[in-house]
Amino acid sequence: MRDRHEPGRLERGNITIHATDAEAWTAISTDVVRKAEAGATVVVTSNDAATQLNSLAQDARARAGHTRTPAVEVAGSDGLNIRVGDRIMTRSNDKDLRVVNRDTWTVARVHRDGSVTVKEHGRKARLPAEYVEAHTHLAYASTEYGVQGATVDFAHDIVTDSSSAQAVYVSATRGREHNTLHLVAGDVDVAEARSIFTGALRRESGDRGVEAACENISRDLHGIVLPAPGVDLKLRDELATASWEKRPPGISDTDPAAGIAALEQEYRSALEGVSSAEHERVGAHERASIATWERDYAMVEQVRVNATEATFFRRCTAEEAYERARRQFISKHGNEPAPQPSEQLRETWRREAIAPGCDERLGAARRSVQDTI
């Protein structure tokens, strides 16, 4: 994979194809919980995914009896409370504390002042509350960028048509025990999955996307110029002919201006198609997400009301039911129950709605832009 030889050769067992994004997420989250109960760590695709999976993994570790709740609540930069026995990662070098970016530790104690004592392989450090809040997070799941240069137990990654060769390589090589690359292809289409995978291995992380490519092509359309005056006339004619013969397809040799204008209009129309598809997709996805949020919140609120109104003999059971409902809500939505989702979460939904591979109509619109280049 490092040399990118034979990118179409898919190894059995290391690549899983799913019909939908939801199926891929379910497979990853189920495996992460199972691995966390055994104490393993995994690599995943994004910060949002890592935070959600860390929350699920932390609950699994607690159920398995590997952690306990401290007397003082202290949260890392991911907003998740830290438990004694949790695995956390430090994300900033500090010589005085003797900690390094991307070091992983086990929480030995949470102190009353909010500081946290951590240890690992004979090393020990006490992290001040300010450092913990700004520069640590749970380490059951991390992004491929968060573990570059490190090795974990297992790795998961969803490969899309925006993934780069560098990111895929990291996810496919970080796990000691196993590495799984997930691809979403309609109806589990192997040919489509193969195309996504090989495309990722050919894509550099510095690729700037469709708009940058279109800017370059637009510039090139107007770059057919004659050599400067003063050049030998014969050579000038030869250079001009060579430049003209390299013109993009579709530019007429009898009316080049009309050809260029037609290509530019086709390009603008394709971009308008993308904008329209994105607007429609964002609206539908956000409305559906809000409806699901409000329905789930209403269920949690009803359980909460039941707990407050429960009789003395049923209060404990009712409060446990509410706590389960609250945790299920957090596990599903990555946020505490509230009447309305935050603007930050809405923005996350909007980004998800137009992510590569999320919608065939949007994908077709984006491909039409590529076809005009």
Side-chain angles (χ1 to χ4, degrees):
M1 291 190 65
R2 182 176 61 248
D3 297 330
R4 300 185 221 179
H5 293 322
E6 299 182 27
R9 182 184 173 195
L10 309 186
E11 294 296 334
R12 184 182 300 276
N14 291 110
I15 292 180
T16 302
I17 305 174
H18 307 274
T20 65
D21 291 342
E23 288 184 12
W25 175 254
T26 298
I28 292 173
S29 58
T30 300
D31 191 60
V32 167
V33 168
R34 184 166 57 247
K35 298 292 194 301
E37 290 174 342
T41 55
V42 301
V43 176
V44 291
T45 310
S46 68
N47 287 321
D48 289 342
T51 299
Q52 294 183 51
L53 292 173
N54 270 321
S55 178
L56 293 174
Q58 185 183 50
D59 288 345
R61 294 270 294 170
R63 290 194 301 270
H66 298 312
T67 64
R68 60 181 175 85
T69 304
V72 178
E73 286 191 357
V74 178
S77 61
D78 54 5
L80 300 175
N81 287 336
I82 294 173
R83 299 169 59 86
V84 176
D86 267 335
R87 297 282 295 166
I88 68 172
M89 179 179 289
T90 50
R91 294 310 305 268
S92 179
N93 298 329
D94 193 309
K95 292 182 179 179
D96 295 333
L97 298 176
R98 293 180 297 174
V99 298
V100 178
N101 182 29
R102 299 194 181 102
D103 273 355
T104 55
W105 307 79
T106 299
V107 176
R109 184 178 176 184
V110 177
H111 302 274
R112 292 190 178 278
D113 63 357
S115 63
V116 175
T117 294
V118 294
K119 60 182 181 180
E120 190 69 15
H121 302 308
R123 299 170 58 205
K124 192 174 183 179
R126 181 164 175 169
L127 311 176
E130 297 79 9
Y131 182 94
V132 173
E133 293 174 359
H135 303 302
T136 72
H137 59 73
L138 294 181
Y140 304 116
S142 184
T143 66
E144 57 261 31
Y145 301 105
V147 297
Q148 281 189 356
T151 304
V152 299
D153 300 297
F154 298 88
H156 286 285
D157 190 14
I158 297 181
V159 182
T160 71
D161 54 10
S162 66
S163 298
S164 69
Q166 290 87 342
V168 173
Y169 173 76
V170 170
S171 296
T173 57
R174 286 292 83 95
R176 297 184 186 91
E177 301 295 329
H178 195 71
N179 302 279
T180 305
L181 300 175
H182 301 263
L183 296 103
V184 177
D187 299 322
V188 194
D189 187 331
V190 174
E192 180 182 351
R194 185 181 298 273
S195 175
I196 294 172
F197 183 77
T198 55
L201 288 192
R202 295 187 178 106
R203 188 176 299 113
E204 298 290 341
S205 60
D207 283 356
R208 296 174 54 212
V210 171
E211 291 186 8
C214 289
E215 289 176 4
N216 293 338
I217 292 300
S218 180
R219 179 198 63 214
D220 291 342
L221 284 174
H222 298 283
I224 303 173
V225 296
L226 294 175
V231 177
D232 176 84
L233 289 179
K234 182 178 180 182
L235 176 59
R236 181 179 177 181
D237 289 342
E238 291 175 353
L239 292 174
T241 300
S243 176
W244 176 245
E245 289 176 349
K246 292 178 181 179
R247 67 190 185 280
I251 296 181
S252 169
D253 58 354
T254 57
D255 192 354
I260 291 174
L263 289 175
E264 291 179 332
Q265 179 57 45
E266 185 180 354
Y267 163 66
R268 285 193 293 270
S269 297
L271 283 184
E272 290 173 0
V274 170
S275 178
S276 174
E278 287 183 344
H279 179 76
E280 180 179 332
R281 172 70 179 170
V282 166
H285 184 70
E286 188 173 7
R287 287 192 297 272
S289 299
I290 291 174
T292 301
W293 173 284
E294 292 176 343
R295 183 191 67 233
D296 292 346
Y297 173 75
M299 293 174 61
V300 174
E301 184 64 10
Q302 183 59 57
V303 177
R304 186 192 67 78
V305 171
N306 293 342
T308 61
E309 297 176 351
T311 63
F312 176 83
F313 296 102
R314 295 187 57 83
R315 185 168 301 160
C316 182
T317 300
E319 288 177 348
E320 289 177 352
Y322 167 66
E323 183 60 23
R324 283 196 302 273
R326 188 182 73 86
R327 284 187 171 274
Q328 288 172 355
F329 186 98
I330 295 173
S331 173
K332 182 175 182 180
H333 296 284
N335 287 261
E336 286 282 353
Q340 291 293 325
S342 66
E343 181 57 32
Q344 182 179 6
L345 185 57
R346 288 171 180 254
E347 183 58 32
T348 298
W349 289 339
R350 295 174 193 131
R351 290 197 303 269
E352 291 174 348
I354 59 175
C358 65
D359 180 72
E360 178 53 35
R361 177 170 175 259
L362 179 55
R366 286 170 172 165
R367 288 193 294 274
S368 70
V369 173
Q370 290 278 21
D371 291 340
T372 65
I373 297 176

